[in-house]
mmCIF file of all heavy atoms in Angstrom:
data_model
loop_
_atom_site.group_PDB
_atom_site.id
_atom_site.type_symbol
_atom_site.label_atom_id
_atom_site.label_comp_id
_atom_site.label_asym_id
_atom_site.label_seq_id
_atom_site.Cartn_x
_atom_site.Cartn_y
_atom_site.Cartn_z
ATOM 1 N N ILE A 31 1.772 2.085 -3.632
ATOM 2 C CA ILE A 31 0.605 2.719 -4.159
ATOM 3 C C ILE A 31 0.438 4.171 -3.710
ATOM 4 O O ILE A 31 0.226 5.053 -4.612
ATOM 5 C CB ILE A 31 -0.613 1.836 -3.997
ATOM 6 C CG1 ILE A 31 -0.516 0.541 -4.536
ATOM 7 C CG2 ILE A 31 -1.788 2.594 -4.498
ATOM 8 C CD1 ILE A 31 -1.603 -0.495 -4.389
ATOM 9 N N LYS A 33 2.645 6.366 -2.550
ATOM 10 C CA LYS A 33 3.749 7.129 -2.987
ATOM 11 C C LYS A 33 3.496 7.366 -4.551
ATOM 12 O O LYS A 33 3.541 8.512 -5.066
ATOM 13 C CB LYS A 33 5.070 6.336 -3.002
ATOM 14 C CG LYS A 33 5.652 6.402 -1.586
ATOM 15 C CD LYS A 33 7.051 5.809 -1.516
ATOM 16 C CE LYS A 33 7.562 5.720 -0.084
ATOM 17 N NZ LYS A 33 8.828 4.999 -0.016
ATOM 18 N N SER A 41 -5.226 7.826 3.145
ATOM 19 C CA SER A 41 -6.200 8.214 2.146
ATOM 20 C C SER A 41 -6.557 6.999 1.159
ATOM 21 O O SER A 41 -7.699 6.906 0.725
ATOM 22 C CB SER A 41 -5.537 9.325 1.221
ATOM 23 O OG SER A 41 -5.452 10.470 1.994
ATOM 24 N N ILE A 42 -5.530 6.116 0.834
ATOM 25 C CA ILE A 42 -5.778 5.000 0.072
ATOM 26 C C ILE A 42 -6.698 4.054 0.763
ATOM 27 O O ILE A 42 -7.742 3.522 0.186
ATOM 28 C CB ILE A 42 -4.443 4.373 -0.327
ATOM 29 C CG1 ILE A 42 -3.533 5.201 -1.138
ATOM 30 C CG2 ILE A 42 -4.777 2.991 -1.018
ATOM 31 C CD1 ILE A 42 -4.072 5.609 -2.475
ATOM 32 N N VAL A 52 -8.278 -2.303 -3.532
ATOM 33 C CA VAL A 52 -7.389 -1.629 -4.531
ATOM 34 C C VAL A 52 -7.147 -2.488 -5.729
ATOM 35 O O VAL A 52 -7.349 -2.116 -6.893
ATOM 36 C CB VAL A 52 -6.064 -1.106 -3.959
ATOM 37 C CG1 VAL A 52 -5.095 -0.699 -5.006
ATOM 38 C CG2 VAL A 52 -6.086 -0.156 -2.870
ATOM 39 N N GLU A 54 -9.274 -4.915 -6.773
ATOM 40 C CA GLU A 54 -10.398 -5.081 -7.565
ATOM 41 C C GLU A 54 -10.711 -3.801 -8.375
ATOM 42 O O GLU A 54 -11.089 -3.904 -9.569
ATOM 43 C CB GLU A 54 -11.616 -5.192 -6.536
ATOM 44 C CG GLU A 54 -11.731 -6.624 -5.905
ATOM 45 C CD GLU A 54 -12.871 -6.842 -5.027
ATOM 46 O OE1 GLU A 54 -13.882 -6.035 -5.074
ATOM 47 O OE2 GLU A 54 -12.871 -7.832 -4.367
ATOM 48 N N TRP A 55 -10.447 -2.584 -7.786
ATOM 49 C CA TRP A 55 -10.657 -1.496 -8.587
ATOM 50 C C TRP A 55 -9.718 -1.350 -9.769
ATOM 51 O O TRP A 55 -9.947 -1.079 -10.900
ATOM 52 C CB TRP A 55 -10.274 -0.150 -7.666
ATOM 53 C CG TRP A 55 -10.200 1.040 -8.495
ATOM 54 C CD1 TRP A 55 -11.282 1.912 -9.122
ATOM 55 C CD2 TRP A 55 -9.015 1.655 -9.019
ATOM 56 N NE1 TRP A 55 -10.750 2.834 -9.726
ATOM 57 C CE2 TRP A 55 -9.441 2.867 -9.717
ATOM 58 C CE3 TRP A 55 -7.648 1.328 -8.949
ATOM 59 C CZ2 TRP A 55 -8.570 3.521 -10.346
ATOM 60 C CZ3 TRP A 55 -6.730 2.106 -9.557
ATOM 61 C CH2 TRP A 55 -7.149 3.294 -10.231
ATOM 62 N N HIS A 65 -11.784 -3.382 -22.779
ATOM 63 C CA HIS A 65 -13.023 -3.506 -23.550
ATOM 64 C C HIS A 65 -13.242 -2.329 -24.392
ATOM 65 O O HIS A 65 -13.739 -2.434 -25.543
ATOM 66 C CB HIS A 65 -14.243 -3.785 -22.579
ATOM 67 C CG HIS A 65 -14.335 -5.307 -22.157
ATOM 68 N ND1 HIS A 65 -13.743 -5.648 -21.015
ATOM 69 C CD2 HIS A 65 -14.935 -6.224 -22.789
ATOM 70 C CE1 HIS A 65 -13.970 -6.949 -20.979
ATOM 71 N NE2 HIS A 65 -14.626 -7.284 -21.981
ATOM 72 N N GLU A 85 -7.613 -7.094 -34.139
ATOM 73 C CA GLU A 85 -7.271 -5.957 -33.340
ATOM 74 C C GLU A 85 -8.000 -5.889 -32.166
ATOM 75 O O GLU A 85 -7.505 -5.679 -30.967
ATOM 76 C CB GLU A 85 -7.376 -4.574 -34.136
ATOM 77 C CG GLU A 85 -7.022 -3.440 -33.419
ATOM 78 C CD GLU A 85 -5.469 -3.358 -33.114
ATOM 79 O OE1 GLU A 85 -4.753 -3.874 -33.955
ATOM 80 O OE2 GLU A 85 -5.214 -2.521 -32.282
ATOM 81 N N ARG A 89 -6.501 -6.180 -28.197
ATOM 82 C CA ARG A 89 -6.718 -5.201 -27.061
ATOM 83 C C ARG A 89 -7.516 -5.942 -25.911
ATOM 84 O O ARG A 89 -7.169 -5.628 -24.830
ATOM 85 C CB ARG A 89 -7.666 -4.051 -27.550
ATOM 86 C CG ARG A 89 -7.102 -3.141 -28.774
ATOM 87 C CD ARG A 89 -5.709 -2.368 -28.455
ATOM 88 N NE ARG A 89 -4.632 -3.199 -28.332
ATOM 89 C CZ ARG A 89 -3.947 -3.636 -29.303
ATOM 90 N NH1 ARG A 89 -4.209 -3.467 -30.537
ATOM 91 N NH2 ARG A 89 -2.799 -4.443 -29.151
ATOM 92 N N THR A 101 5.565 -11.588 -15.313
ATOM 93 C CA THR A 101 5.560 -11.355 -13.803
ATOM 94 C C THR A 101 5.524 -12.693 -13.148
ATOM 95 O O THR A 101 4.790 -13.635 -13.622
ATOM 96 C CB THR A 101 4.513 -10.401 -13.454
ATOM 97 O OG1 THR A 101 3.251 -11.087 -13.643
ATOM 98 C CG2 THR A 101 4.506 -9.065 -14.098
ATOM 99 N N SER A 105 -0.147 -15.475 -13.398
ATOM 100 C CA SER A 105 -1.288 -16.465 -13.493
ATOM 101 C C SER A 105 -2.098 -16.231 -12.296
ATOM 102 O O SER A 105 -3.335 -16.457 -12.371
ATOM 103 C CB SER A 105 -0.719 -17.924 -13.632
ATOM 104 O OG SER A 105 0.053 -18.226 -12.390
ATOM 105 N N ASN A 129 -21.362 -7.168 -30.437
ATOM 106 C CA ASN A 129 -20.884 -6.208 -31.526
ATOM 107 C C ASN A 129 -20.042 -6.964 -32.444
ATOM 108 O O ASN A 129 -20.019 -6.746 -33.621
ATOM 109 C CB ASN A 129 -20.131 -5.212 -30.923
ATOM 110 C CG ASN A 129 -21.031 -4.041 -30.463
ATOM 111 O OD1 ASN A 129 -22.091 -3.757 -30.955
ATOM 112 N ND2 ASN A 129 -20.743 -3.523 -29.182
ATOM 113 N N LYS A 136 -22.044 -8.278 -40.818
ATOM 114 C CA LYS A 136 -22.094 -7.117 -41.787
ATOM 115 C C LYS A 136 -20.959 -7.365 -42.853
ATOM 116 O O LYS A 136 -20.970 -7.098 -44.019
ATOM 117 C CB LYS A 136 -21.604 -5.868 -40.958
ATOM 118 C CG LYS A 136 -21.416 -4.680 -41.750
ATOM 119 C CD LYS A 136 -21.055 -3.444 -40.820
ATOM 120 C CE LYS A 136 -20.885 -2.295 -41.801
ATOM 121 N NZ LYS A 136 -20.520 -1.096 -40.974
ATOM 122 N N SER A 142 -25.797 -15.831 -40.521
ATOM 123 C CA SER A 142 -26.921 -15.640 -39.512
ATOM 124 C C SER A 142 -26.422 -15.286 -38.271
ATOM 125 O O SER A 142 -25.205 -15.391 -37.933
ATOM 126 C CB SER A 142 -27.683 -17.042 -39.359
ATOM 127 O OG SER A 142 -26.903 -17.993 -38.750
ATOM 128 N N PHE A 151 -18.006 -17.345 -30.238
ATOM 129 C CA PHE A 151 -17.690 -18.199 -29.160
ATOM 130 C C PHE A 151 -16.480 -19.032 -29.369
ATOM 131 O O PHE A 151 -15.499 -18.976 -28.521
ATOM 132 C CB PHE A 151 -18.806 -19.300 -28.913
ATOM 133 C CG PHE A 151 -18.424 -20.373 -28.000
ATOM 134 C CD1 PHE A 151 -18.634 -20.136 -26.570
ATOM 135 C CD2 PHE A 151 -17.884 -21.521 -28.384
ATOM 136 C CE1 PHE A 151 -18.353 -20.985 -25.599
ATOM 137 C CE2 PHE A 151 -17.695 -22.485 -27.377
ATOM 138 C CZ PHE A 151 -17.812 -22.398 -26.063
ATOM 139 N N LEU A 153 -13.950 -17.960 -31.367
ATOM 140 C CA LEU A 153 -12.928 -16.887 -31.266
ATOM 141 C C LEU A 153 -12.511 -16.723 -29.952
ATOM 142 O O LEU A 153 -11.357 -16.553 -29.602
ATOM 143 C CB LEU A 153 -13.338 -15.667 -32.088
ATOM 144 C CG LEU A 153 -13.341 -15.796 -33.589
ATOM 145 C CD1 LEU A 153 -14.030 -14.594 -34.126
ATOM 146 C CD2 LEU A 153 -11.983 -15.785 -34.126
ATOM 147 N N PRO A 167 2.879 -10.601 -27.042
ATOM 148 C CA PRO A 167 1.695 -10.134 -27.666
ATOM 149 C C PRO A 167 1.721 -10.477 -29.263
ATOM 150 O O PRO A 167 0.796 -10.706 -29.891
ATOM 151 C CB PRO A 167 1.889 -8.569 -27.426
ATOM 152 C CG PRO A 167 2.551 -8.508 -26.207
ATOM 153 C CD PRO A 167 3.634 -9.613 -26.353
ATOM 154 N N ALA A 175 -4.662 -14.203 -35.859
ATOM 155 C CA ALA A 175 -4.871 -14.188 -37.328
ATOM 156 C C ALA A 175 -5.156 -15.392 -38.020
ATOM 157 O O ALA A 175 -5.907 -15.634 -38.917
ATOM 158 C CB ALA A 175 -3.607 -13.452 -37.892
ATOM 159 N N ALA A 180 -9.066 -19.088 -40.317
ATOM 160 C CA ALA A 180 -9.801 -20.320 -40.376
ATOM 161 C C ALA A 180 -11.230 -20.305 -40.302
ATOM 162 O O ALA A 180 -11.937 -21.115 -40.918
ATOM 163 C CB ALA A 180 -9.219 -21.298 -39.214
#
Side-chain angles (χ1 to χ4, degrees):
I31 293 169
K33 281 181 185 177
S41 296
I42 300 292
V52 173
E54 286 182 14
W55 170 83
H65 277 93
E85 181 73 17
R89 302 295 73 81
T101 62
S105 61
N129 282 321
K136 181 179 177 183
S142 69
F151 176 81
L153 287 165

